[in-house]
Amino acid sequence: MDSFDVINPADATVLQAVPMNGTAETDAAIERAQQAFLSWRQVAPGDRARLLRRFAAVVDDHLEELAQLEVRNAGHTIGNARWEAGNVRDVLDYYAAAPERLTGRQIPVAGGLDVTFHEPLGVVGIIVPWNFPMPIAGWGFAPALAAGNTVVLKPAELTPLTALRLGELALAAGLPEHVFTVLPGRGDVVGQRFVTHPAVRKVCFTGSTRVGKSIMAGAADQVKRVTLELGGKNANIVFADADLEKAAASAPGGVFDNAGQDCCARSRLLVQDSVYDKFLALLEPAVTSFRVQDPGLETAEMGPLISAAHRDRVASYTTEADVAFTGAAPGGDGWWFPPTVLLAKSTSDRHWREEVFGPVLSVLPFRDEAEAIALANDTEYGLSGSLWTRDLGRALRVSRGVDAGNLSVNSHSSVRYWTPFGGMKQSGIGRELGPDAVLGFTDVKNVFISTES
């Protein structure tokens, strides 16, 4: 079996070698999960709920361990990593309530009784990206397990360590063996086998639109369910009537959080032309003071990029662009890149159109509401975004007009585990989180019972 060296992006040191599973190991894991499904689906709803609550409690007992592991593996700031570990706990707690509330319906019919049931699908394959390894894993496995499915999870090659630890914690919490399996490996081996293996009845994928399209096409051969959360090129729209100081102070966090390695990053900044110069003057000190530091420091607001290759890709967007100003970043070993603000000359600029997935913000002025909406929608993506205004009517009009699955007014929040999350257009299909996510891991079965003698 091959192995992969997992590297700390802050100092380029090797953390450990992780075995990469091949097709034979993947098939064996899927078949064990299929066998475990036969008994897991029969676990009483209350007992399944107790096991998920116990899993959440064990995660809670290991929050700091998981957070420190993510700092080393993914370069996340310690503050972010603690939130991410806590999110896994909270999502498990939230969906622990689902088994006992997964109710069907009684539908009035003539000649009998008609009832529906939400039946689990079987084995669910979850493919997790490297940018948010812990929370995105939990968004998939928690509702899938709650609905009575078994899960085989493939972490990203670059960031497998917290997923592997979560797999160990699940067993420590008492989940039966093979109900939740973490299987490191290459995407074109393990992930592709999720798509082609007939026992895997649903694939959840978070990652690039290109790979998501390939998974969706492959899943069609077996009419296999998919949930896809893909790329984003999100707009942050600032109107002249907004609280400009607050909007400028928060803009760096909206795009530079996790070093911009976030599908929800507000990487296109649209500012109404009448306040454009004033806003840039407010934005510059907010960017230059953004703290890019060793991610283990409590004061760090941004850490390194995930790899040398990714740093080179991000840098390629800035070489010929009009740079307004930049922040600072550490030198030496590690894959550091400074927060950077670029002035877009037109909507055809490469940095304006493509998902950079790094700490790069592109800025463009607009005239009025209609142009702001048109510019925001001038992209193949539709995942997230923000708008800043004091006018409630405008907030509602623009929110309804922008084609994105998750919008915030006067804030940059995208994810709350009790509300739906997902994209429009080429940002994906399906919804994660919220009260209805568990239904996406079930089939509705209709049963008619004749009462005629």
Side-chain angles (χ1 to χ4, degrees):
M1 186 183 297
D2 294 334
S3 64
F4 186 89
D5 285 342
V6 177
I7 297 175
N8 184 335
D11 60 16
T13 58
V14 176
L15 294 171
Q16 69 182 74
V18 173
M20 294 284 103
N21 291 277
T23 301
E25 293 87 0
T26 304
D27 285 353
I30 292 169
E31 287 153 17
R32 289 191 294 266
Q34 187 179 26
Q35 284 301 117
F37 170 66
L38 300 177
S39 55
W40 178 245
R41 70 177 301 178
Q42 299 299 330
V43 173
D47 292 334
R48 198 183 311 141
R50 275 189 288 276
L51 284 168
L52 292 176
R53 285 195 294 272
R54 195 178 303 159
F55 189 5
V58 173
V59 169
D60 189 52
D61 290 340
H62 293 80
L63 283 188
E64 188 64 19
E65 174 198 346
L66 289 165
Q68 293 290 347
L69 192 57
E70 204 70 290
V71 169
R72 296 192 300 274
N73 190 177
H76 291 191
T77 63
I78 184 59
N80 281 7
R82 287 175 180 142
W83 179 90
E84 291 156 18
N87 184 257
V88 176
R89 172 203 59 207
D90 294 342
V91 169
L92 279 165
D93 266 331
Y94 182 76
Y95 288 109
E100 295 170 291
R101 292 164 175 77
L102 197 56
T103 55
R105 303 169 69 187
Q106 182 270 316
I107 302 172
V109 295
L113 174 71
D114 197 276
V115 293
T116 63
F117 300 91
H118 289 284
E119 302 286 10
L121 302 174
V123 180
V124 174
I126 299 176
I127 304 171
V128 178
W130 52 257
N131 61 325
F132 289 106
M134 276 195 288
I136 291 175
W139 302 350
F141 70 67
L145 294 171
N149 303 279
T150 53
V151 169
V152 182
L153 183 145
K154 191 201 88 65
E157 293 95 311
L158 294 170
T159 55
L161 300 186
T162 48
L164 287 166
R165 187 64 180 127
L166 287 169
E168 295 169 349
L169 296 179
L171 290 173
L175 265 70
E177 200 171 12
H178 310 309
V179 165
F180 176 45
T181 304
V182 178
L183 199 69
R186 290 169 53 93
D188 57 3
V189 177
V190 177
Q192 182 61 20
R193 196 64 183 121
F194 289 176
V195 175
T196 59
H197 198 298
V200 177
R201 294 312 311 147
K202 178 169 182 173
V203 176
C204 299
F205 171 78
T206 300
S208 73
T209 298
R210 178 185 60 81
V211 175
K213 289 177 179 179
S214 173
I215 289 172
M216 191 172 185
D221 185 59
Q222 297 174 17
V223 196
K224 186 174 299 192
R225 306 282 190 87
V226 294
T227 295
L228 306 174
E229 195 269 280
L230 308 176
K233 190 66 177 175
N234 312 290
N236 178 18
I237 308 170
V238 180
F239 287 94
D241 71 320
D243 182 336
L244 299 182
E245 287 76 12
K246 184 177 179 181
S250 68
V255 65
F256 302 143
D257 185 60
N258 200 33
Q261 300 167 132
D262 182 355
C263 298
C264 292
R266 277 67 167 166
S267 57
R268 291 185 301 151
L269 175 61
L270 291 160
V271 183
Q272 196 155 21
D273 52 9
S274 61
V275 294
Y276 180 79
D277 291 335
K278 178 181 179 181
F279 191 82
L280 285 182
L282 292 168
L283 179 64
E284 183 170 7
V287 170
T288 56
S289 64
F290 205 74
R291 295 186 298 275
V292 184
Q293 297 173 326
D294 176 345
L297 295 175
E298 299 285 346
T299 54
E301 293 180 291
M302 181 180 129
L305 294 172
I306 191 62
S307 69
H310 188 57
R311 181 184 59 186
D312 292 345
R313 179 184 176 277
V314 170
S316 73
Y317 285 91
T318 66
T319 52
E320 297 180 3
D322 187 356
V323 178
F325 40 84
T326 66
D333 295 331
W335 300 305
W336 301 94
F337 197 87
T340 301
V341 177
L342 305 178
L343 303 178
K345 296 171 184 172
S346 77
T347 57
S348 62
D349 286 356
R350 180 168 166 253
H351 63 83
W352 179 263
R353 300 216 65 81
E354 296 181 15
E355 186 178 29
V356 177
F357 220 61
V360 176
L361 176 62
S362 304
V363 189
L364 193 71
F366 68 89
R367 292 185 303 275
D368 52 25
E369 271 185 41
E371 187 179 30
I373 293 170
L375 288 169
N377 289 340
D378 182 24
T379 173
E380 63 188 7
Y381 299 114
L383 183 57
S384 194
S386 299
L387 59 110
W388 293 78
T389 179
R390 288 186 171 97
D391 184 330
L392 179 59
R394 169 178 287 151
L396 291 171
R397 288 191 303 271
V398 177
S399 295
R400 296 300 300 272
V402 173
D403 297 330
N406 309 273
L407 290 168
S408 292
V409 177
N410 298 330
S411 84
H412 293 306
S413 65
S414 293
V415 177
R416 292 178 173 84
Y417 60 81
W418 54 92
T419 62
F421 175 76
M424 296 179 177
K425 300 191 285 188
Q426 293 193 36
S427 284
I429 185 169
R431 291 294 181 269
E432 298 173 296
L433 301 175
D436 298 330
V438 70
L439 300 181
F441 294 96
T442 67
D443 272 321
V444 176
K445 179 182 288 180
N446 190 76
V447 177
F448 170 74
I449 303 170
S450 173
T451 56
E452 294 181 358
S453 57

